[in-house]
Amino acid sequence: MRYVAPARDAVDPAVFGRLPLAAWREHAGLIEGRDWPAIDALNACRPAGMPERFVAQTHELLADGLHYEQRVAERGAIATRERNWHDLFNALVWLRRPAIKRALNARQVGEIARMGPKQRSRAQYALTHFDEAGVVVAVRDPALLALWDAHDWHGLFWRRRQAWLDGTIRLELFGHALLELALSPGRLLVGKALVFQSDSDAGLPAPCATAIGSGRLLLDPLELRPLPLSGIPGWHPDNADEAFHRNAACYQLRRAGRAYPPASPIP
């Protein structure tokens, strides 16, 4: 069933103080309160050097016949529906991580040129899945990957709970659809993760953008690991109880034969 976000004035303000939305407080003026931001307000928040601009998605705009991705690449125009949560969160991700967005866009445009506008490649599905529900994860301890590979969720999120608190495993949410889902309190969130191996606190966005742009990652949706975000400390009110990590619906068994690629090294 397709998710329908709550009306702006019906959103519980408490969701903005909990993860994942609490990590976006620098844009509180755009996402909190009763009034929707204007397109000009989004453009005013663009980081220095970002050439792309948000434009209202109107019938006149769409009459140009361009695919959404082509319009971004050729005109720098990010079609944005006004008074729409999904597109507002997409804009916020553009404001925070334009390099990753630009890498995804370049890859999508290349695939459109190769496949045509009516067919989609495995790479396009992977790029879209990451754009909508992506999470970038850095892991220091390979033992955590072994638990993840086996879908040992109790081990990953309960027995190794401290790893999520001390930086042994860290993440940055990227997918704007996840931010939209977080508007509904108590909803169980599952992301689609790209995983990097890192023994330091090196930043994640730059190597992620480089790997996507070069075509080393996101060639197939099976590269993406499911990550039940609601198991992470602070992401769901019930996960401080061990029983949550044995029974939560977001924890799925691994399908027979399902395997995940190794973590990508961070240079």
Side-chain angles (χ1 to χ4, degrees):
M1 182 180 296
R2 181 177 177 273
Y3 174 72
V4 178
R8 190 173 177 107
D9 59 3
V11 174
D12 180 355
V15 302
F16 299 114
R18 295 194 295 264
L19 291 168
L21 294 175
W24 296 77
R25 295 308 298 271
E26 76 268 28
H27 296 303
L30 300 176
I31 62 176
E32 298 183 36
R34 296 178 61 88
D35 298 327
W36 289 95
I39 295 293
D40 287 346
L42 298 178
N43 283 319
C45 295
R46 289 178 303 148
M50 177 178 166
E52 297 87 358
R53 296 183 63 84
F54 305 104
V55 296
Q57 181 172 304
T58 62
H59 292 299
E60 291 76 18
L61 178 74
L62 300 181
D64 62 13
L66 291 176
H67 188 285
Y68 170 89
E69 302 288 358
Q70 292 172 318
R71 192 180 296 109
V72 174
E74 296 177 15
R75 300 182 180 178
I78 305 168
T80 304
R81 292 170 292 182
E82 298 179 279
R83 305 175 66 85
N84 181 281
W85 280 117
H86 192 84
D87 285 15
L88 175 56
F89 284 125
N90 181 56
L92 297 193
V93 179
W94 264 104
L95 295 177
R96 178 178 283 186
R97 297 299 175 217
I100 299 179
K101 280 288 197 180
R102 202 170 290 125
L104 291 170
N105 173 249
R107 289 277 308 283
Q108 288 278 19
V109 169
E111 290 298 305
I112 291 169
R114 187 172 70 88
M115 300 292 297
K118 295 184 179 181
Q119 296 188 62
R120 290 173 63 80
S121 65
R122 297 287 292 176
Q124 282 175 286
Y125 284 115
L127 295 162
T128 299
H129 290 180
F130 182 76
D131 195 23
E132 295 284 341
V135 185
V136 188
V137 180
V139 178
R140 290 184 177 180
D141 184 354
L144 294 169
L145 281 179
L147 295 172
W148 197 348
D149 285 343
H151 285 208
D152 181 353
W153 306 123
H154 181 267
L156 183 63
F157 291 106
W158 184 254
R159 297 197 307 273
R160 296 298 307 271
R161 187 174 179 83
Q162 185 60 30
W164 297 94
L165 301 171
D166 64 16
T168 303
I169 184 169
R170 55 195 174 89
L171 63 85
E172 180 172 329
L173 187 149
F174 180 82
H176 54 283
L178 290 173
L179 296 174
E180 184 184 20
L181 290 172
L183 293 169
S184 297
R187 191 174 183 94
L188 296 172
L189 301 179
V190 178
K192 299 186 176 186
L194 286 176
V195 185
F196 293 84
Q197 180 72 43
S198 176
D199 295 325
S200 70
D201 292 326
L204 298 175
C208 182
T210 299
I212 293 171
S214 68
R216 288 193 288 112
L217 294 180
L218 298 180
L219 300 175
D220 191 287
L222 292 178
E223 293 176 35
L224 293 163
R225 291 167 172 257
L227 179 63
L229 297 164
S230 293
I232 302 172
W235 284 65
H236 192 281
D238 296 338
N239 75 23
D241 186 338
E242 183 179 6
F244 177 92
H245 303 281
R246 296 194 183 279
N247 304 313
C250 58
Y251 293 154
Q252 298 294 309
L253 296 174
R254 184 171 62 90
R255 297 197 312 271
R258 182 71 163 98
Y260 301 109
S264 300
I266 293 182

